[in-house]
PDB file of all heavy atoms in Angstrom:
ATOM      1  N   ILE A 302     114.969 132.299 104.942  1.00  0.00           N
ATOM      2  CA  ILE A 302     115.219 131.424 106.064  1.00  0.00           C
ATOM      3  C   ILE A 302     116.659 131.566 106.542  1.00  0.00           C
ATOM      4  O   ILE A 302     116.935 131.825 107.738  1.00  0.00           O
ATOM      5  CB  ILE A 302     114.936 129.979 105.699  1.00  0.00           C
ATOM      6  CG1 ILE A 302     113.455 129.748 105.344  1.00  0.00           C
ATOM      7  CG2 ILE A 302     115.376 129.004 106.810  1.00  0.00           C
ATOM      8  CD1 ILE A 302     113.151 128.448 104.735  1.00  0.00           C
ATOM      9  N   GLU A 303     117.611 131.420 105.624  1.00  0.00           N
ATOM     10  CA  GLU A 303     119.012 131.498 106.027  1.00  0.00           C
ATOM     11  C   GLU A 303     119.427 132.901 106.435  1.00  0.00           C
ATOM     12  O   GLU A 303     120.326 133.036 107.308  1.00  0.00           O
ATOM     13  CB  GLU A 303     119.882 131.042 104.861  1.00  0.00           C
ATOM     14  CG  GLU A 303     119.682 129.563 104.492  1.00  0.00           C
ATOM     15  CD  GLU A 303     120.529 129.125 103.305  1.00  0.00           C
ATOM     16  OE1 GLU A 303     120.245 129.569 102.186  1.00  0.00           O
ATOM     17  OE2 GLU A 303     121.461 128.306 103.562  1.00  0.00           O
ATOM     18  N   GLN A 305     118.115 134.956 108.342  1.00  0.00           N
ATOM     19  CA  GLN A 305     117.931 135.250 109.768  1.00  0.00           C
ATOM     20  C   GLN A 305     118.687 134.263 110.695  1.00  0.00           C
ATOM     21  O   GLN A 305     118.383 134.191 111.887  1.00  0.00           O
ATOM     22  CB  GLN A 305     116.449 135.303 110.092  1.00  0.00           C
ATOM     23  CG  GLN A 305     115.674 134.036 109.752  1.00  0.00           C
ATOM     24  CD  GLN A 305     114.206 134.188 109.966  1.00  0.00           C
ATOM     25  OE1 GLN A 305     113.735 134.352 111.126  1.00  0.00           O
ATOM     26  NE2 GLN A 305     113.418 134.151 108.902  1.00  0.00           N
ATOM     27  N   GLY A 306     119.590 133.497 110.074  1.00  0.00           N
ATOM     28  CA  GLY A 306     120.411 132.592 110.913  1.00  0.00           C
ATOM     29  C   GLY A 306     119.805 131.226 111.091  1.00  0.00           C
ATOM     30  O   GLY A 306     120.381 130.402 111.836  1.00  0.00           O
ATOM     31  N   ALA A 307     118.657 130.941 110.489  1.00  0.00           N
ATOM     32  CA  ALA A 307     118.017 129.608 110.579  1.00  0.00           C
ATOM     33  C   ALA A 307     118.737 128.638 109.631  1.00  0.00           C
ATOM     34  O   ALA A 307     119.268 129.063 108.592  1.00  0.00           O
ATOM     35  CB  ALA A 307     116.548 129.675 110.292  1.00  0.00           C
ATOM     36  N   ARG A 308     118.705 127.376 109.947  1.00  0.00           N
ATOM     37  CA  ARG A 308     119.383 126.345 109.197  1.00  0.00           C
ATOM     38  C   ARG A 308     118.368 125.619 108.357  1.00  0.00           C
ATOM     39  O   ARG A 308     117.320 125.183 108.805  1.00  0.00           O
ATOM     40  CB  ARG A 308     120.134 125.375 110.114  1.00  0.00           C
ATOM     41  CG  ARG A 308     120.829 124.243 109.337  1.00  0.00           C
ATOM     42  CD  ARG A 308     121.621 123.347 110.324  1.00  0.00           C
ATOM     43  NE  ARG A 308     120.737 122.662 111.258  1.00  0.00           N
ATOM     44  CZ  ARG A 308     120.119 121.482 111.006  1.00  0.00           C
ATOM     45  NH1 ARG A 308     120.265 120.917 109.816  1.00  0.00           N
ATOM     46  NH2 ARG A 308     119.394 120.945 111.905  1.00  0.00           N
ATOM     47  N   LEU A 309     118.687 125.402 107.064  1.00  0.00           N
ATOM     48  CA  LEU A 309     117.856 124.587 106.190  1.00  0.00           C
ATOM     49  C   LEU A 309     118.113 123.117 106.494  1.00  0.00           C
ATOM     50  O   LEU A 309     119.257 122.735 106.807  1.00  0.00           O
ATOM     51  CB  LEU A 309     118.153 124.864 104.738  1.00  0.00           C
ATOM     52  CG  LEU A 309     117.778 126.201 104.147  1.00  0.00           C
ATOM     53  CD1 LEU A 309     118.253 126.289 102.696  1.00  0.00           C
ATOM     54  CD2 LEU A 309     116.262 126.413 104.239  1.00  0.00           C
ATOM     55  N   PRO A 310     117.086 122.270 106.449  1.00  0.00           N
ATOM     56  CA  PRO A 310     117.328 120.839 106.537  1.00  0.00           C
ATOM     57  C   PRO A 310     118.377 120.418 105.479  1.00  0.00           C
ATOM     58  O   PRO A 310     118.407 120.957 104.396  1.00  0.00           O
ATOM     59  CB  PRO A 310     115.983 120.228 106.234  1.00  0.00           C
ATOM     60  CG  PRO A 310     114.987 121.278 106.511  1.00  0.00           C
ATOM     61  CD  PRO A 310     115.651 122.587 106.189  1.00  0.00           C
ATOM     62  N   SER A 311     119.208 119.500 105.843  1.00  0.00           N
ATOM     63  CA  SER A 311     120.280 118.933 105.046  1.00  0.00           C
ATOM     64  C   SER A 311     121.568 119.761 105.032  1.00  0.00           C
ATOM     65  O   SER A 311     122.597 119.291 104.578  1.00  0.00           O
ATOM     66  CB  SER A 311     119.843 118.659 103.593  1.00  0.00           C
ATOM     67  OG  SER A 311     119.618 119.876 102.881  1.00  0.00           O
ATOM     68  N   GLN A 312     121.562 121.024 105.543  1.00  0.00           N
ATOM     69  CA  GLN A 312     122.801 121.801 105.584  1.00  0.00           C
ATOM     70  C   GLN A 312     123.865 121.117 106.423  1.00  0.00           C
ATOM     71  O   GLN A 312     125.025 121.151 106.039  1.00  0.00           O
ATOM     72  CB  GLN A 312     122.515 123.206 106.116  1.00  0.00           C
ATOM     73  CG  GLN A 312     121.847 124.133 105.093  1.00  0.00           C
ATOM     74  CD  GLN A 312     121.740 125.563 105.584  1.00  0.00           C
ATOM     75  OE1 GLN A 312     121.517 125.753 106.763  1.00  0.00           O
ATOM     76  NE2 GLN A 312     121.883 126.523 104.692  1.00  0.00           N
ATOM     77  N   ARG A 313     123.485 120.538 107.560  1.00  0.00           N
ATOM     78  CA  ARG A 313     124.458 119.834 108.409  1.00  0.00           C
ATOM     79  C   ARG A 313     125.058 118.683 107.603  1.00  0.00           C
ATOM     80  O   ARG A 313     126.278 118.430 107.680  1.00  0.00           O
ATOM     81  CB  ARG A 313     123.818 119.366 109.694  1.00  0.00           C
ATOM     82  CG  ARG A 313     124.779 118.667 110.636  1.00  0.00           C
ATOM     83  CD  ARG A 313     124.046 117.894 111.687  1.00  0.00           C
ATOM     84  NE  ARG A 313     123.233 116.815 111.102  1.00  0.00           N
ATOM     85  CZ  ARG A 313     123.734 115.645 110.649  1.00  0.00           C
ATOM     86  NH1 ARG A 313     125.012 115.415 110.718  1.00  0.00           N
ATOM     87  NH2 ARG A 313     122.960 114.705 110.161  1.00  0.00           N
ATOM     88  N   ARG A 314     124.248 117.947 106.885  1.00  0.00           N
ATOM     89  CA  ARG A 314     124.762 116.784 106.113  1.00  0.00           C
ATOM     90  C   ARG A 314     125.713 117.251 105.039  1.00  0.00           C
ATOM     91  O   ARG A 314     126.784 116.668 104.826  1.00  0.00           O
ATOM     92  CB  ARG A 314     123.609 116.034 105.516  1.00  0.00           C
ATOM     93  CG  ARG A 314     122.784 115.220 106.457  1.00  0.00           C
ATOM     94  CD  ARG A 314     121.959 114.175 105.758  1.00  0.00           C
ATOM     95  NE  ARG A 314     121.034 114.723 104.783  1.00  0.00           N
ATOM     96  CZ  ARG A 314     121.214 114.719 103.462  1.00  0.00           C
ATOM     97  NH1 ARG A 314     122.312 114.196 102.989  1.00  0.00           N
ATOM     98  NH2 ARG A 314     120.299 115.275 102.647  1.00  0.00           N
TER      99      ARG A 314
END
Side-chain angles (χ1 to χ4, degrees):
I302 295 169
E303 294 179 292
Q305 57 185 293
R308 179 177 64 85
L309 291 177
S311 71
Q312 281 185 326
R313 182 196 61 79
R314 288 197 301 101

